[in-house]
Amino acid sequence: DQQVKQNSPSLSVQEGRISILNCDYTNSMFDYFLWYKKYPAEGPTFLISISSIKDKNEDGRFTVFLNKSAKHLSLHIVPSQPGDSAVYFCAAGVTGNQFYFGTGTSLTVIP
Amino acid sequence: GAGVSQTPSNKVTEKGKYVELRCDPISGHTALYWYRQSLGQGPEFLIYFQGTGAADDSGLPNDRFFAVRPEGSVSTLKIQRTERGDSAVYLCASSLEGVGYTFGSGTRLTVV
């Protein structure tokens, strides 16, 4: 039973535009959420996180939004750059325990 | 070291053989996690260590899989009687306080 879902397996965006990646979770006990970026033949790289006490966290071009009532989070990348092309995984869990990962969204930023 | 180191990076083994995968976490990180990632899937949890003890091994698929962390640092994931379905990328991650994992590059295991 998938506790974290990324329903869009792929996304293409023009360079300079906004990329929006979405993620849904089922467990209301989850209190910490992470986004990872993965290039081929590499392990996932931590990108940005958000605690359940916040609804927004921003780091440069990357912003994560959390809607606890909808059990939904999204990652916004503005402006998108070709180097952002990668697979993005969201993960959710309870602090100090395992995290559950979605199946990933492959982002392609077109120059 | 600066990051999480996993060896070997690639392992090809014959069905039925025994394999060991090693993870060297970031120095000082007390939490260590093993995940497995199959093609087209996100990482799936296997086992979590806090110090030397396995705090949660509920993700290990069966008793052919075992992991140890005897000194609270390096961990070894051991797979007995490997099967073709065990082929995947095995990822290790470490963490200081249970959030914001740092992943290694993984070991790609192929069982032929």
Side-chain angles (χ1 to χ4, degrees):
Chain A
D1 186 28
Q2 199 89 26
Q3 299 208 41
V4 177
K5 292 181 182 175
Q6 292 176 260
N7 291 319
S8 297
S10 63
L11 175 68
S12 288
V13 170
Q14 206 72 33
E15 180 178 4
R17 301 287 186 117
I18 184 171
S19 295
I20 300 176
L21 296 95
N22 293 302
C23 179
D24 296 293
Y25 61 96
T26 57
N27 191 335
S28 58
M29 298 298 292
F30 290 159
D31 65 357
Y32 210 83
F33 306 88
L34 309 161
W35 282 95
Y36 281 84
K37 176 177 172 179
K38 187 179 182 308
Y39 294 115
E42 295 182 11
T45 304
F46 172 74
L47 196 56
I48 193 168
S49 64
I50 188 166
S51 158
S52 60
I53 63 173
K54 292 184 162 186
D55 54 19
K56 177 183 172 182
N57 189 26
E58 195 170 349
D59 183 2
R61 297 185 296 113
F62 302 90
T63 303
V64 56
F65 295 92
L66 176 63
N67 182 333
K68 288 186 289 294
S69 60
K71 297 194 187 70
H72 178 85
L73 66 155
S74 62
L75 174 68
H76 292 208
I77 307 173
V78 183
S80 302
Q81 298 174 355
D84 296 330
S85 297
V87 178
Y88 289 78
F89 292 96
C90 72
V94 177
T95 304
N97 292 280
Q98 61 158 304
F99 278 80
Y100 297 87
F101 285 78
T103 51
T105 296
S106 179
L107 173 67
T108 302
V109 180
I110 304 162
Chain B
V4 177
S5 175
Q6 290 189 248
T7 54
S9 55
N10 277 285
K11 176 72 177 177
V12 180
T13 191
E14 290 181 352
K15 180 175 176 295
K17 298 285 189 183
Y18 167 82
V19 295
E20 289 190 352
L21 312 179
R22 176 189 166 108
C23 173
D24 203 337
I26 291 174
S27 179
H29 278 195
T30 55
L32 185 147
Y33 304 80
W34 283 98
Y35 281 79
R36 175 167 77 171
Q37 186 169 15
S38 302
L39 198 63
Q41 301 295 316
E44 292 177 284
F45 171 75
L46 294 176
I47 186 169
Y48 154 51
F49 287 91
Q50 185 61 249
T52 60
D56 182 354
D57 65 357
S58 61
L60 294 177
N62 51 59
D63 61 6
R64 295 186 298 106
F65 288 74
F66 189 70
V68 295
R69 196 186 185 199
E71 296 176 358
S73 177
V74 171
S75 176
T76 305
L77 178 65
K78 308 179 182 198
I79 311 174
Q80 298 177 317
R81 305 183 305 280
T82 51
E83 299 177 357
R84 292 200 178 89
D86 299 334
S87 298
V89 176
Y90 288 81
L91 293 163
C92 175
S94 70
S95 168
L96 188 54
E97 293 179 358
V99 296
Y101 298 172
T102 300
F103 278 95
S105 299
T107 294
R108 181 174 296 279
L109 176 66
T110 304
V111 182
V112 297

